[in-house]
Amino acid sequence: MSKPRIPVAEPELGEQELKNVTVAIKSGWVSSKGEFIERFEKGFANYVGTRHGVSTCNGTTALHLALVCLGVGKGDEVIVPSLTFVAVPNAVIYTGAKPVFVDSHPAYWCMDPQKIRKKISKKTKAIIPVHLYGHPCEMTPILEIAKEKGVYLIEDCAEAHGAEYKNRKVGCFGDISCFSFYGNKILTTGEGGMCLTDSSEYANSMKILRDHGMNPKKRYWHDFVGFNYRMTNLQAALGVAQLERIESTIRRKTWLASVYKEVLGKINNVTLAPEMPWARTVYWLYSILLRGVNRDRIMLDMDEAGVETRPFFYPAHKLPPYKTKEELIEAERLSKHGMNLPSSTKLSENEVLHVCDSLKRALVQQVR
Ligand SMILES: *Cc1c(COP(=O)(O)O)cnc(C)c1O
């Protein structure tokens, strides 16, 4: 018999999700036409505060679509953080452009605005800040640099639905912003994604690009090579229901974080997840740094106690496809010491306390 385990993330799917998907199935619209798609696009764009939403089949295709829409391609460079999920540099590579990696800010772990400027070249076409693990990037200096250098800004909000920078939701700052609705994200459609923008020109272009590049006025006439990156009505049906509960999801994650803060804040070897004064973080995965101990050993001990954890991402500039000799000290340090703790909204207080307890026990083994 398998031991009961506390997972890092688990979606919360209820009656409304079931009802909407049933409606979609009974309607017969199971592919990329149907009432839920527009409802979800409009509803989500409205929630974030942009004029247009263009849904996609996942977050990676949302990034690719945004890059292609802005004309990024061969010979261009795109500035991305090194400490992020690999889909970000991958989407850049799909266009033929080259990702250029920037180090993390030591205090809040996202791309360090001070380190962007010296990575800008004549070839730079766009910057993709990633709001990592639910914490927003510092947008003011990033916006300034983008404006001054005349490069596009694409926000990657895949881990930060509902997070705010200076009381404005992330996803409002970029020329285009991209979201993922993968099963472990703050809002899920199973697989899914969306591009948000205020520009009707970009929105129309992305709608055509995601639909094989087909001319909307002339069926089977394709002016250029497009993609099939459409979301299905079934996914959108889930999304509409998930959107109704997003604020309660974020409240629950914030509460989980408050329990973690209170219990783990007193421990010497633990650095808590950041929350800058200008940020409303949504704690996608509650994350900590461990100092003076072997993180991987701690993770193994917690695993033994039935607690699932995740290490931070590897810095992309260390991965085989992107390997450089460059040192990005903060990204490397964070990657080595960081871990994500169970952050499912379904967790009870007792389960969170059990997670804390298993961490404390594992620490005692190493520290004594
Ligand atoms: C999850 C994620 C993506 C990719 O989303 P998928 O829906 O899995 O394709 C992109 N960027 C970041 C930062 C992510 O965490």
Side-chain angles (χ1 to χ4, degrees), residues 103-129:
D103 205 356
S104 311
H105 192 285
Y108 58 90
W109 310 349
C110 299
M111 177 189 259
D112 187 341
Q114 303 304 320
K115 294 177 180 161
I116 295 175
R117 211 170 275 275
K118 65 169 183 283
K119 298 274 174 159
I120 302 250
S121 79
K122 283 199 183 70
K123 294 179 178 172
T124 308
K125 192 88 183 242
I127 307 175
I128 310 183

Side-chain angles (χ1 to χ4, degrees), residues 58-60 63 84-85 87-88 130 156 158-159 180 182 185 191-192:
N58 61 57
T60 309
L63 284 167
T84 184
F85 186 54
V88 183
V130 179
D156 183 333
E159 305 182 355
S180 162
Y182 182 65
K185 301 284 160 89
E191 296 274 357

Side-chain angles (χ1 to χ4, degrees), residues 63-77:
L63 284 167
H64 186 206
L65 198 61
L67 287 161
V68 174
C69 172
L70 296 174
V72 175
K74 203 157 178 263
D76 296 330
E77 292 178 354

Side-chain angles (χ1 to χ4, degrees), residues 184-235:
N184 66 7
K185 301 284 160 89
I186 287 168
L187 185 161
T188 187
T189 59
E191 296 274 357
M194 201 177 303
C195 295
L196 298 184
T197 182
D198 282 331
S199 153
S200 34
E201 186 196 332
Y202 295 158
N204 287 336
S205 147
M206 289 191 288
K207 280 182 186 168
I208 295 169
L209 278 166
R210 78 171 167 186
D211 190 22
H212 303 284
M214 186 157 75
N215 189 315
K217 296 208 181 83
K218 197 167 165 187
R219 183 157 275 251
Y220 303 130
W221 185 261
H222 305 267
D223 294 298
F224 41 78
V225 176
F227 315 97
N228 177 357
Y229 282 175
R230 299 171 313 226
M231 175 179 273
T232 67
N233 197 40
L234 292 174
Q235 290 167 292

